[in-house]
Amino acid sequence: GKPRVVVIGGGAGGATAARYVAKDSNGEIDVTLIEPTRSYYTCFFSNLYIGGFRTLESLAHSYAKLATDHGINVVHDWATGVDRDAKTVALAGGGRVPYDRLIISPGIDFVEGSVPGWDLSAQTVMPHAYKAGTQTALLRAQVESMPEGGTYVMIAPPNPYRCPPGPYERISMVAHVLKEKNPTAKIIIADPKDKYSKQALFEEGWQNHYGGMIERLGPDFGGGNVTVNPATMEVDIDGEIVKADVCNVIPAQKAGLICDAAGLTDGNWAPVDGHSMVSRMDENIHILGDATNQGDMPKSGYSANSQAKVAAMAVRGALTGSRVFPAKYSNTCWSLIATDDGVKVGAAYEPTEEKIASVSSFVSQTGEDAAMRKATYEESLGWYAGITSDMFG
Ligand code: FAD
């Protein structure tokens, strides 16, 4: 029969990989995509929904085109384990799916106990909104119903985590909403990191648009020593008790749990070889996106999409003998600070034996004029439309 490729996870990395293996192999490879949800909500642009610049529906993508246009078998179920000797994937609903090559792109899960007082059962009170959909809708609703002059607290995550500028874009979008609806409200960020992505750009933007509203407590001010109490909505920051009206806890992160179950992690992440995104622990398994430890690329949707194309090419080469070109990667992370005030940071990458290494980079500058910032925002809208059709057809 035909060679079989199974993909676990239909997000940024997995949907792209399934689509490219199927599309470029013209029916020579049998592709199965295992994904529990029927609608994938992108985390990218979910902060813009919180800020009122997008609808929730505009973030949702279905798997219909992957099935109809590319003949991919889409199985809506959880993968619960991988038998690497038998080369099968076990499904929560029972049954096993055999593969010749397996691609895994499960995104992130949270490190237990990283924020004392918080666990997954608290996410309905203190949302993370770091997986998009109902969590994002809950956080937005909480921001909109904050009492006048209330307090929004974010517990920012330690490195590495998905979307390095994501927490700070979120703060910008929350401030944008509060400035209009609740201008005496306050925002506190407790942050265990000394510095963060695009910091100078965010600080400039917050000063310009939201002066006096946002206070960030870095590790020198106890931002790394935080306990929360979801029952009372109290946050203890280095002994100082803050009563929060909204508490957005973004815990420390690790590879999606299926990577542990399959024995593919070393510590919190799954190590891969950047020439093909193949696991360093199993030559028949490629791992993509946030779950990986690959080197210099940030954990982003753009990175996952870029890595998926390299993996798809390697998998096709191995199974059908098609030509394999040297791996090259790229990434850009856009962030919206206020209406038409967009900034970006990005780089190009190539693999070495040890890691995927950055070879050139660019970043927006402080003091740029409004026309340039508007053009950057418009560029991000084009990127979103383009990359989601590259993923989902
Ligand atoms: P995901 O896209 O999370 O996909 C994982 C999929 O696997 C999910 O659909 C999940 O249901 C499925 N899955 C998990 N476990 C299993 C299992 N056991 N069996 C079957 N399926 C499973 N990136 C950008 O490029 N640009 C941005 O502007 C941007 N903004 C962001 C803003 C925020 C607030 C956040 C949180 C993230 C942002 N990102 C952005 C990051 C981006 O969303 C992630 O890096 C990207 O989604 C990673 O892709 P992935 O394939 O690794 O994981």
Side-chain angles (χ1 to χ4, degrees):
K2 289 186 206 171
R4 290 164 304 201
V5 170
V6 173
V7 181
I8 299 177
T16 307
R19 182 163 175 269
Y20 272 74
V21 171
K23 170 170 88 63
D24 293 343
S25 67
N26 299 313
E28 277 184 74
I29 298 178
D30 188 63
V31 182
T32 298
L33 175 62
I34 303 169
E35 162 63 48
T37 66
R38 279 161 205 273
S39 269
Y40 175 80
Y41 287 86
T42 59
C43 280
F44 27 110
F45 277 29
S46 66
N47 289 327
L48 276 62
Y49 156 73
I50 292 171
F53 294 91
R54 303 284 289 209
T55 63
L56 195 58
E57 301 78 66
S58 77
L59 307 178
H61 302 273
S62 97
Y63 296 96
K65 286 191 196 149
L66 293 183
T68 56
D69 296 358
H70 299 294
I72 296 168
N73 313 309
V74 181
V75 175
H76 288 299
D77 203 348
W78 288 95
T80 53
V82 179
D83 182 333
R84 285 163 44 192
D85 296 322
K87 292 209 269 178
T88 59
V89 176
L91 300 177
R96 291 176 181 279
V97 188
Y99 64 84
D100 295 298
R101 287 277 171 141
L102 177 62
I103 299 174
I104 309 183
S105 194
I108 52 126
D109 274 299
F110 299 117
V111 175
E112 271 179 47
S114 77
V115 177
W118 192 94
D119 64 21
L120 263 190
S121 72
Q123 71 178 356
T124 52
V125 181
M126 293 185 169
H128 51 80
Y130 238 61
K131 297 185 182 190
T134 51
Q135 275 283 297
T136 329
L138 173 62
L139 183 61
R140 174 167 153 162
Q142 288 187 344
V143 170
E144 288 185 340
S145 57
M146 270 171 68
E148 201 186 315
T151 302
Y152 177 104
V153 180
M154 170 187 279
I155 315 301
N159 289 319
Y161 60 95
R162 69 171 18 165
C163 195
Y168 310 97
E169 180 187 53
R170 175 170 295 164
I171 290 297
S172 308
M173 293 293 93
V174 169
H176 172 79
V177 170
L178 294 177
K179 185 180 172 181
E180 254 162 49
K181 299 196 172 161
N182 192 348
T184 57
K186 288 270 172 282
I187 297 174
I188 297 170
I189 311 166
D191 201 334
K193 301 181 294 298
D194 278 318
K195 51 191 173 50
Y196 62 89
S197 175
K198 292 187 277 198
Q199 184 164 356
L201 294 164
F202 282 113
E203 285 175 350
E204 175 194 56
W206 295 348
Q207 191 70 47
N208 288 346
H209 301 291
Y210 316 117
M213 186 178 256
I214 301 166
E215 183 185 13
R216 175 175 171 270
L217 305 170
D220 294 351
F221 297 89
N225 181 21
V226 173
T227 303
V228 299
N229 185 340
T232 61
M233 289 300 285
E234 284 173 337
V235 182
D236 177 334
I237 307 176
D238 210 25
E240 198 82 37
I241 306 293
V242 177
K243 184 84 174 59
D245 297 292
V246 177
C247 186
N248 176 201
V249 176
I250 309 175
Q253 296 164 29
K254 57 184 284 189
L257 292 173
I258 187 71
C259 292
D260 276 342
L264 297 167
T265 49
D266 178 9
N268 284 340
W269 307 101
V272 293
D273 177 341
H275 292 93
S276 65
M277 301 304 293
V278 73
S279 165
R280 293 208 190 261
M281 300 181 181
D282 190 321
E283 61 182 11
N284 295 309
I285 302 180
H286 299 251
I287 311 174
L288 309 176
D290 292 354
T292 61
N293 176 4
Q294 37 69 23
D296 294 350
M297 296 185 79
K299 298 182 186 300
S300 77
Y302 196 144
S303 294
N305 169 265
S306 182
Q307 292 163 8
K309 293 178 193 178
V310 168
M313 181 171 59
V315 164
R316 285 195 306 113
L319 296 178
T320 68
S322 66
R323 198 153 160 212
V324 178
F325 297 92
K328 283 189 190 318
Y329 301 95
S330 51
N331 177 62
T332 303
C333 289
W334 282 272
S335 301
L336 187 62
I337 297 177
T339 306
D340 289 334
D341 191 357
V343 293
K344 63 179 173 180
V345 58
Y349 304 86
E350 286 174 15
T352 66
E353 283 313 307
E354 293 87 58
K355 65 169 187 173
I356 299 178
S358 171
V359 291
S360 64
S361 65
F362 58 88
V363 59
S364 297
Q365 300 299 304
T366 54
E368 283 172 347
D369 65 22
M372 166 85 94
R373 291 297 177 83
K374 184 162 193 247
T376 302
Y377 174 56
E378 281 163 3
E379 191 187 2
S380 78
L381 299 178
W383 167 80
Y384 185 92
I387 205 153
T388 50
S389 70
D390 200 43
M391 293 167 181
F392 299 99

